């Protein structure tokens, strides 16, 4: 396959490396555009700029003008909020340059401590795997907590019956006081 270069319009056969460099460049521009679009949607949401347009909200504007639903608009806004440059909110922060919009969208769901460890060299599939691993760990830990609570309750009931009876007496005393008040 051949690539037409933008600068000269010349057609030349490209290597994988050249294709990858060109694709990385375009993906970086896409990420930059995501931040800028998020900024513009926030402007539409947070100011009265749409007042003269006839649209009742920024979401109606997005739907009618760009066929975008609420979740798509939200993704643009969230990418802007999380990854824009604090000095120039229309730009992608330098530390997120090179990630691309698809990676940034996945990174929205990750904790900041994990995001800080990621670099643009991570493939989208690698970042997705990190996300899935975190989700799996959180599910396991919830199950482990439930299992641990059940085991602790069994141990408390089975090991020390006199101690288990004593709280019951305390509970009986406490219950009438609670119902009387």
């Amino acid at each position: 396959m051949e690539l037409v270069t933008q600068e000269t319009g010349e057609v030349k056969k490209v290597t994988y490396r050249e294709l990858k460099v060109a694709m990385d460049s375009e993906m970086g521009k896409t990420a930059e555009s995501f931040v800028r679009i998020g900024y513009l949607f926030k402007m539409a949401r947070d100011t009265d700029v749409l007042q003269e347009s006839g649209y009742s909200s920024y979401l109606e504007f997005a739907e009618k003008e760009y066929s975008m639903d609420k979740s798509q608009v939200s993704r643009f806004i969230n990418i802007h909020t999380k990854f824009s440059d604090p000095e120039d909110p229309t730009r992608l922060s330098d530390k997120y340059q090179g990630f691309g919009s698809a990676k940034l969208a996945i990174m929205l769901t990750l904790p900041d401590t994990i995001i800080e460890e990621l670099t643009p060299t991570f493939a989208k599939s690698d970042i997705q795997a990190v996300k899935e691993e975190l989700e799996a760990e959180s599910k396991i830990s919830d199950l482990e907590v439930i299992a641990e609570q059940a085991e602790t309750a069994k141990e408390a009931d089975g090991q020390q019956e006199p101690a288990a009876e004593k709280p019951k007496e305390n509970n009986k005393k406490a219950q009438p006081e609670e119902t009387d008040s």
Side-chain angles (χ1 to χ4, degrees):
M1 184 170 201
E2 297 171 337
L3 177 71
V4 177
T5 60
Q6 285 183 323
E7 300 83 31
T8 64
E10 84 179 63
V11 177
K12 69 176 206 168
K13 189 168 175 75
V14 296
T15 65
Y16 165 75
R17 187 84 180 127
E18 291 169 321
L19 172 72
K20 179 78 167 95
V21 167
M23 189 64 104
D24 288 348
S25 172
E26 294 304 317
M27 293 306 279
K29 293 175 190 173
T30 301
E32 192 75 41
S33 292
F34 258 71
V35 169
R36 178 85 176 145
I37 292 167
Y39 172 80
L40 294 170
F41 276 134
K42 281 177 86 171
M43 182 187 305
R45 180 192 69 190
D46 298 343
T47 69
D48 62 356
V49 71
L50 292 178
Q51 191 173 19
E52 63 192 55
S53 71
Y55 294 115
S56 62
S57 72
Y58 73 103
L59 293 174
E60 181 186 6
F61 165 70
E63 181 183 351
K64 301 280 188 196
E65 294 291 335
Y66 306 105
S67 300
M68 295 178 71
D69 65 23
K70 182 178 181 177
S71 68
Q72 292 169 309
V73 174
S74 176
R75 189 174 309 112
F76 279 106
I77 290 173
N78 290 336
I79 285 174
H80 169 266
T81 301
K82 187 142 187 122
F83 303 116
S84 66
D85 184 333
E87 301 294 318
D88 180 358
T90 66
R91 294 193 59 250
L92 182 64
S93 176
D94 287 342
K95 66 182 180 178
Y96 301 114
Q97 294 288 334
F99 276 99
S101 59
K103 292 177 189 178
L104 293 177
I106 297 168
M107 290 164 58
L108 282 173
T109 64
L110 299 176
D112 289 342
T113 54
I114 300 295
I115 291 172
E116 290 171 11
E117 300 298 319
L118 299 175
T119 66
T121 59
F122 278 78
K124 177 185 169 194
S125 59
D126 295 334
I127 297 172
Q128 183 66 39
V130 168
K131 175 186 174 187
E132 290 168 2
E133 185 178 330
L134 285 171
E135 289 171 350
E137 284 178 9
S138 72
K139 289 178 185 174
I140 291 170
S141 69
D142 290 345
L143 292 174
E144 288 173 344
V145 168
I146 292 168
E148 189 174 308
Q149 289 172 344
E151 186 151 328
T152 303
K154 283 183 184 179
E155 287 175 1
D157 288 343
Q159 279 185 341
Q160 300 173 345
E161 289 201 15
E165 289 176 18
K166 202 169 196 179
K168 288 180 186 175
E169 291 173 14
N170 289 342
N171 286 342
K172 287 180 184 177
K173 290 179 184 176
Q175 287 174 353
E177 291 174 13
E178 290 175 16
T179 55
D180 290 339
S181 55

